[in-house]
């Protein structure tokens, strides 16, 4: 990262500053160059505990981020960092901003101004190269009566950073093997075809998804999913609740997954896919793959055969991941009280 910044920006930076660049690139802007990354960095004196700020257009969230380039960090330290960030956010809500540096004022105020007053969503993120017992820290946060909670805080320690670096470094874009998906009944599919693209809707067994996850999670299974690293705790908790309590209704509650492949062929209760990648539904796939309950259920799935037109994958991935998300506040208008 230091070499890239030196080459692209003609700047010599410290390890600490390089860590900020690295976390921003890994989690939010893997395709951006250093000049684009630099526009999001607020690290410096009077930064209010914010090393960078990233506005997620799709999720409609402000990600405010602190990076700790240290080998050890305590739960108290992490909570103190989140408290500092909370104080900064509250100052901006009260327009008490004079003590913050110009970059913080510009980026944070612009991000806050994009929201209606009652629609603002801010996520607090802390990155560290220390090993962190995240469950313990979350339990501490949950016991606090603060403006932040486990629902709007994220902690990424050495294990998470290492895994993400390895995944991005070894990304192969898609799985080159053939794989057989089990469907709910023989020949049950809805097919659609144009001159260049072929598609089908199927009900795939959760067992197939789990096997696919086990075999290929580090071999390109999600590498075409442009949002595979975006955490959404509301979605996660909903999927986990359904897996634990209403597995027979998973098909009705979940939007399912989309798989892009070179070709697919139906054979009774199976459909064989080749050169494939999951381009939408990364969270669903991951949570099913890690689910300890082996009771099978059906998951809605869209198959898309790009027939050698690999340029279509990125367009389809972008389209399926770019629909405006439903926020928890949007659901309030559908409640029986309303």
């Amino acid at each position: 990262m230091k070499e890239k910044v030196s080459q692209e920006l003609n700047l010599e930076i410290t390890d600490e500053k390089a860590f900020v660049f690295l976390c921003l690139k890994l989690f939010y802007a893997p395709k951006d160059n250093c000049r684009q990354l630099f526009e999001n960095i607020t690290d410096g004196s009077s930064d209010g505990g914010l090393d960078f700020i990233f506005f997620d257009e799709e999720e409609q969230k402000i990600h405010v981020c602190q990076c700790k380039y240290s080998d050890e960090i305590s739960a108290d330290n992490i909570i103190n960092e989140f408290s500092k960030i909370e104080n900064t956010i509250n100052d901006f809500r009260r327009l008490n901003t004079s003590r913050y540096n110009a970059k913080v004022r510009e980026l944070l105020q612009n991000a806050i101004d994009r929201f209606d007053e009652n629609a603002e969503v801010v996520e607090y993120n802390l990155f560290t190269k220390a090993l962190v017992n995240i469950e313990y820290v979350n339990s501490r946060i949950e016991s606090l009566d603060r403006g932040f909670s486990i629902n709007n805080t994220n902690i990424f320690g050495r294990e998470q950073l290492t895994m993400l670096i390895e995944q991005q470094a070894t990304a192969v874009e898609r799985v080159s093997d053939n794989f057989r998906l089990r469907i709910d009944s023989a020949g049950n599919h809805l097919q659609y075809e144009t001159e260049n693209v072929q598609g089908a809707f199927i009900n795939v067994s959760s067992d197939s998804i789990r096997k696919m996850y086990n075999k290929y999670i580090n071999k390109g299974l999600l590498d075409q999913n442009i949002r595979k690293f975006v955490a959404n705790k509301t979605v996660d908790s909903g999927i986990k609740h359904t897996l634990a309590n209403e597995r027979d209704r998973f098909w009705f509650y979940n939007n399912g997954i989309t798989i892009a492949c070179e070709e697919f062929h139906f054979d009774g209760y199976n459909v064989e896919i080749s050169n494939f990648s999951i381009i939408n539904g990364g969270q669903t796939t991951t949570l099913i793959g890690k689910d300890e309950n082996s009771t099978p259920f059906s998951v809605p799935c869209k198959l898309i055969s790009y027939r050698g037109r690999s340029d279509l994958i990125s367009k389809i991935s972008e389209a399926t991941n770019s629909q405006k998300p439903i926020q928890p506040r949007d659901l309030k208008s559908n409640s029986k009280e309303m």
Side-chain angles (χ1 to χ4, degrees):
M1 203 69 241
K2 292 173 75 173
E3 290 176 2
K4 290 175 72 68
V5 171
S6 177
Q7 292 168 3
E8 296 178 25
L9 297 180
N10 196 28
L11 289 176
E12 301 301 321
I13 59 174
T14 64
D15 289 350
E16 289 78 5
K17 180 75 79 173
F19 186 62
V20 175
F21 270 92
L22 176 65
C23 294
L24 173 56
K25 188 173 184 67
L26 282 175
F27 283 85
Y28 302 105
K31 296 182 179 180
D32 285 3
N33 59 39
C34 290
R35 191 168 301 280
Q36 292 169 311
L37 296 176
F38 188 71
E39 294 301 313
N40 295 279
I41 293 177
T42 55
D43 179 33
S45 60
S46 304
D47 62 17
L50 308 181
D51 287 334
F52 66 87
I53 299 169
F54 184 83
F55 182 78
D56 188 327
E57 295 281 359
E58 303 303 335
E59 288 282 335
Q60 289 289 293
K61 287 184 179 179
I62 305 170
H63 290 268
V64 288
C65 307
Q66 170 63 246
C67 302
K68 305 302 290 183
Y69 189 72
S70 53
D71 292 321
E72 293 184 5
I73 188 168
S74 68
D76 287 336
N77 292 148
I78 293 173
I79 291 170
N80 288 338
E81 293 297 335
F82 285 146
S83 298
K84 188 187 299 184
I85 293 173
E86 181 187 27
N87 291 336
T88 300
I89 299 298
N90 288 336
D91 277 346
F92 272 80
R93 287 182 173 132
R94 295 189 294 260
L95 296 180
N96 181 21
T97 61
S98 60
R99 65 191 184 92
Y100 299 101
N101 70 47
K103 199 66 178 290
V104 172
R105 294 201 305 270
E106 176 190 356
L107 291 183
L108 189 52
Q109 194 65 63
N110 282 342
I112 289 175
D113 287 348
R114 297 193 195 196
F115 291 100
D116 296 331
E117 183 177 351
N118 296 320
E120 182 183 326
V121 179
V122 181
E123 289 229 341
Y124 301 6
N125 303 282
L126 184 136
F127 304 89
T128 175
K129 72 187 186 87
L131 289 170
V132 180
N133 185 335
I134 295 176
E135 289 188 4
Y136 171 70
V137 179
N138 282 338
S139 69
R140 289 282 306 279
I141 292 173
E142 201 166 13
S143 67
L144 300 174
D145 183 19
R146 300 297 301 265
F148 57 88
S149 69
I150 60 171
N151 293 319
N152 66 343
T153 58
N154 297 299
I155 304 164
F156 304 97
R158 183 186 300 177
E159 290 183 359
Q160 292 74 28
L161 291 172
T162 301
M163 181 180 68
L164 184 50
I165 290 169
E166 288 175 349
Q167 287 178 339
Q168 292 197 15
T170 59
V172 294
E173 295 193 341
R174 54 186 178 269
V175 178
S176 58
D177 291 353
N178 291 355
F179 185 78
R180 292 169 72 85
L181 295 166
R182 182 79 172 176
I183 58 178
D184 59 341
S185 59
N188 184 30
H189 64 276
L190 174 65
Q191 202 155 330
Y192 182 76
E193 188 171 352
T194 66
E195 184 177 345
N196 298 318
V197 188
Q198 182 182 20
F201 281 104
I202 60 174
N203 302 318
V204 64
S205 167
S206 59
D207 285 346
S208 289
I209 295 176
R210 184 179 290 107
K211 290 176 184 177
M212 188 166 52
Y213 178 87
N214 290 339
K215 291 184 68 171
Y216 302 120
I217 186 56
N218 294 317
K219 295 182 178 180
L221 182 63
L222 300 180
D223 285 351
Q224 287 291 334
N225 188 330
I226 60 176
R227 300 180 65 184
K228 65 178 176 176
F229 301 119
V230 177
N232 188 323
K233 293 183 180 179
T234 303
V235 175
D236 276 4
S237 61
I239 295 175
K240 288 177 180 177
H241 175 83
T242 304
L243 289 174
N245 303 290
E246 299 182 273
R247 297 172 80 84
D248 58 329
R249 296 184 180 181
F250 192 95
W251 190 94
F252 299 100
Y253 294 164
N254 191 272
N255 287 331
I257 64 176
T258 301
I259 302 175
C261 57
E262 181 82 31
E263 297 285 350
F264 61 78
H265 300 283
F266 288 95
D267 180 16
Y269 281 89
N270 299 293
V271 56
E272 185 169 295
I273 57 178
S274 60
N275 293 326
F276 60 92
S277 177
I278 293 174
I279 60 175
N280 186 264
Q283 275 178 290
T284 296
T285 301
T286 300
L287 292 173
I288 292 175
K290 293 181 176 180
D291 183 31
E292 295 180 356
N293 187 337
S294 60
T295 305
F297 55 92
S298 290
V299 179
C301 174
K302 181 197 288 185
L303 295 176
I304 299 174
S305 168
Y306 52 85
R307 293 180 170 178
R309 292 280 309 278
S310 57
D311 58 303
L312 286 175
I313 300 179
S314 59
K315 293 181 181 179
I316 296 170
S317 180
E318 182 177 356
T320 55
N321 283 282
S322 296
Q323 296 155 13
K324 186 177 180 181
I326 296 174
Q327 302 293 344
R329 62 179 178 273
D330 298 326
L331 302 177
K332 298 295 185 185
S333 61
N334 289 331
S335 68
K336 62 182 181 180
E337 290 82 6
M338 287 295 202

